[in-house]
Structures are given as C-alpha cells and as structure tokens.
Amino acid sequence: MKKIKLLPILISSVLVISSLTACVNKTEDKNTIKIAYLPITHSLAVLKEADEYSESSGLNIELVKFGSWTELLDALNSNKVDGASVLIELAMKSKQEGVGIKAAALGHRDGNVIVVSDKINSAGDLKGKTFAIPHRQSSHYILLNDALSKGGLTIDDVNITELAPTEMPSALASGQIDGYCVAEPFGAMAVASKAGKVLYTSEELWKDSACCALVLTDKFLDSRTDDARTFIENYKQAGNSLDKDTAKETAKKYLKQSDEILDTSLQWISYNDLEITENTYNRLVEKVKKYGLSDDPPTYDEFIYH
Ligand code: ZN
C-alpha cells in the first residue's frame, strides 16, 4: 500500500525537477556565446575576455577549442558557433562564397615572423628552397610574398608546402623545409630550440598587418545585436589589458607552452587598439589581390562590422 501511495508523489517530483532543469538550460542558452579558437597566442584577446568579462557582462562565453583551421572554419560557416578567432583571409574567402559572417575586430597586431634555417641569410637565399605555410589563404602566405620581393624573387622561385603548424618546428630542424611562417608560438619554438632564426618580423615587411580577426555570424549579430555590441566592446577592452605579463599569464593557462617560448613569441605581438580601420583593411585587400589569394575579396562595408 505504501508503495502505491508514493508513486504519484515520485512522478510529480520528477516532473517538477525536469521542468526546472529545462528552464535553467533555456536561460543558459540565451546568454551563451560560443566562440571557436585555436590554442595560439593570436587568440589571446578572446581567451582573456572569456576569463575576465564573462561574469561582469552577464554573457556566458563558451570557448570551443579546435585543432585545425579547417575544422574551425566548418563550425563557423555552419553556425555551430556564434563566432571565432580566425585567419581573416579564410573568413574573407567564406564571405566571398556567400557565408553570412562579418569581422568585428583584429585578433592581434603584428606578431608573425619568417623563420629560416641557419643556412639562409637573406631573402635571396630562399631561391629554390622549400617553405611551409599553414594555408594559402593567410597573412603568412602574404608575408612570404613580401619577403621574397625584398630579395628580388617571386613565389614561383620557392617550393611551397602546406603543413600543420605543430609539424613546422621539427620539419625545419630535420631539414625537410628551409623556412616557414605561421601563427605563434610555432615560430618561437624553432627560435627557442635554436633550430631556426628570424629572417624578418611582420612589421619589417608589412606595417599594420592584419592576420587573425574576431569573426561573428550574421545570425548572432542580427538576432542578438545588444549582446554582440557588449561582446565586441569587452573584447577590445580585453585586448587593451593584454600587456606582456597579462598575455603570458593567459597564454600559460590555455597554451601550455614553456616560459622561454612564450617570452620569445610575445615580444613580437601586441593586442591594443584592435579596431579594423578602413586603411588597414584596404591594404590587406590590395595584397590579397596582388598575390593571387582572391580576385574579388569583400569590401570594407560588406565584411567589417562597424
Ligand atoms: Zn594571427
């Protein structure tokens, strides 16, 4: 008899708990912003924002880590995330192909290096050599083109190979490649281990270069405009707060790299003033066309959220 009496109470309790859980989940979903990133120093601004501003802004930033640009871009382009810290050229290409995304801010300023083996002492020495980049749609490919032109060479004078960033330091150390340019801290790894040296920093080749950007989906920007504004504003503030010490602290938490590698890498990069100006974007568009990344990249008004 006892059991029979208890059953309705149990069932109603379960129902109450279920409806409460549904309610909590719904509230979480509404405030959550899913941001994709790769564990590189180029995404520190968004990592810092997630650490510092999630609570105070009332926005729950959910970081989604990816292992490659291809996987990250797939998630961004199919609205599985609300935004990403991504190579701006990859996002421009997606935009050109009709994907609904916009760039809201730079990922960082400067912060790339052309790393070469000890045998290479000038851009001219790269003739006939093998050089690795992560992807043709990247500022790393643009910077290589810029470096080659300093030595009177073009991209046709070198063998290009696309490698995963993690493979580049060991490929240089083993002599499989003669140089590379890629998101950090993978350049610093070769420098720290003495497998390579810096031939050029990005600022020596391209002043105010663009590389990564905070890119958001139109779906998120249109349906949650106020959240998007707050998120972008906090992102820029997070960038401004990243001096060398703060950047290192954030990098240690997410990147698990040694002090030596981070100290080497972080000397080349800054995160303040991450607004994408028309000037910076138009210089990028010029280079994208000049070096054949795209004949018809999106215009500033089409692609930059402002
Ligand atoms: Zn970058």
Side-chain angles (χ1 to χ4, degrees):
M1 281 300 283
K2 255 188 181 173
K3 268 187 186 168
I4 294 164
K5 271 187 185 168
L6 268 175
L7 201 59
I9 299 168
L10 266 175
I11 290 171
S12 57
S13 304
V14 168
L15 283 176
V16 169
I17 291 165
S18 311
S19 57
L20 272 175
T21 313
C23 189
V24 169
N25 281 342
K26 208 177 166 190
T27 315
E28 267 179 15
D29 283 344
K30 215 179 120 205
N31 288 325
T32 299
I33 303 177
K34 278 188 167 186
I35 301 292
Y37 77 101
L38 256 55
I40 51 179
T41 59
H42 291 194
S43 31
L44 287 187
V46 82
L47 301 178
K48 176 69 176 167
E49 180 182 12
D51 275 1
E52 290 284 314
Y53 292 87
S54 255
E55 244 171 71
S56 58
S57 64
L59 300 172
N60 174 34
I61 301 167
E62 184 187 329
L63 295 170
V64 189
K65 184 162 112 176
F66 284 87
S68 74
W69 289 122
T70 318
E71 290 167 295
L72 176 142
L73 201 68
D74 279 350
L76 178 69
N77 290 355
S78 56
N79 283 302
K80 288 197 179 79
V81 291
D82 300 307
S85 183
V86 61
L87 297 176
I88 194 166
E89 294 86 353
L90 278 176
M92 286 162 78
K93 197 74 174 178
S94 292
K95 175 72 181 176
Q96 190 188 329
E97 288 164 0
V99 177
I101 48 174
K102 284 185 186 70
L106 294 171
H108 54 93
R109 294 194 300 112
D110 304 316
N112 285 297
V113 286
I114 302 268
V115 178
V116 293
S117 74
D118 276 345
K119 290 176 203 151
I120 308 290
N121 292 308
S122 70
D125 290 346
L126 284 170
K127 191 174 172 68
K129 297 290 192 281
T130 302
F131 196 95
I133 50 166
H135 201 288
R136 267 168 215 263
Q137 296 299 330
S138 71
S139 292
H140 310 107
Y141 182 64
I142 293 176
L143 288 165
L144 170 62
N145 275 274
D146 281 339
L148 291 170
S149 73
K150 288 219 174 226
L153 303 176
T154 72
I155 206 75
D156 296 331
D157 292 309
V158 290
N159 306 310
I160 302 291
T161 179
E162 287 183 6
L163 279 186
T166 47
E167 291 171 22
M168 292 188 192
S170 56
L172 185 69
S174 69
Q176 188 192 333
I177 57 173
D178 303 287
Y180 64 89
C181 184
V182 71
E184 281 297 311
F186 298 101
M189 280 181 190
V191 175
S193 69
K194 310 264 189 299
K197 63 185 181 192
V198 175
L199 186 63
Y200 292 109
T201 62
S202 48
E203 55 199 316
E204 289 172 313
L205 295 168
W206 173 8
K207 207 176 170 318
D208 292 328
S209 57
C211 173
C212 299
L214 174 70
V215 174
L216 301 170
T217 66
D218 286 350
K219 187 182 164 199
F220 172 66
L221 289 166
D222 295 343
S223 65
R224 296 171 63 189
T225 308
D226 288 347
D227 285 353
R229 294 265 175 214
T230 307
F231 178 73
I232 295 164
E233 193 45 48
N234 288 344
Y235 173 86
K236 289 178 183 167
Q237 280 188 39
N240 288 336
S241 78
L242 283 174
D243 55 26
K244 296 281 179 263
D245 290 340
T246 324
K248 188 174 167 185
E249 208 176 281
T250 309
K252 280 195 86 74
K253 180 174 171 186
Y254 289 95
L255 274 54
K256 317 272 187 256
Q257 299 286 351
S258 72
D259 282 351
E260 193 186 4
I261 289 171
L262 291 176
D263 289 339
T264 304
S265 187
L266 292 172
Q267 66 182 319
W268 302 320
I269 196 165
S270 58
Y271 303 91
N272 57 309
D273 199 10
L274 293 178
E275 187 180 334
I276 306 176
T277 65
E278 213 161 343
N279 213 11
T280 296
Y281 186 72
N282 289 340
R283 286 285 311 282
L284 167 67
V285 163
E286 256 172 52
K287 285 177 186 283
V288 159
K289 288 183 183 171
K290 181 180 171 188
Y291 295 133
L293 284 76
S294 166
D295 292 333
D296 190 24
T299 64
Y300 184 83
D301 284 336
E302 285 165 345
F303 185 55
I304 307 302
Y305 187 73
H306 56 284

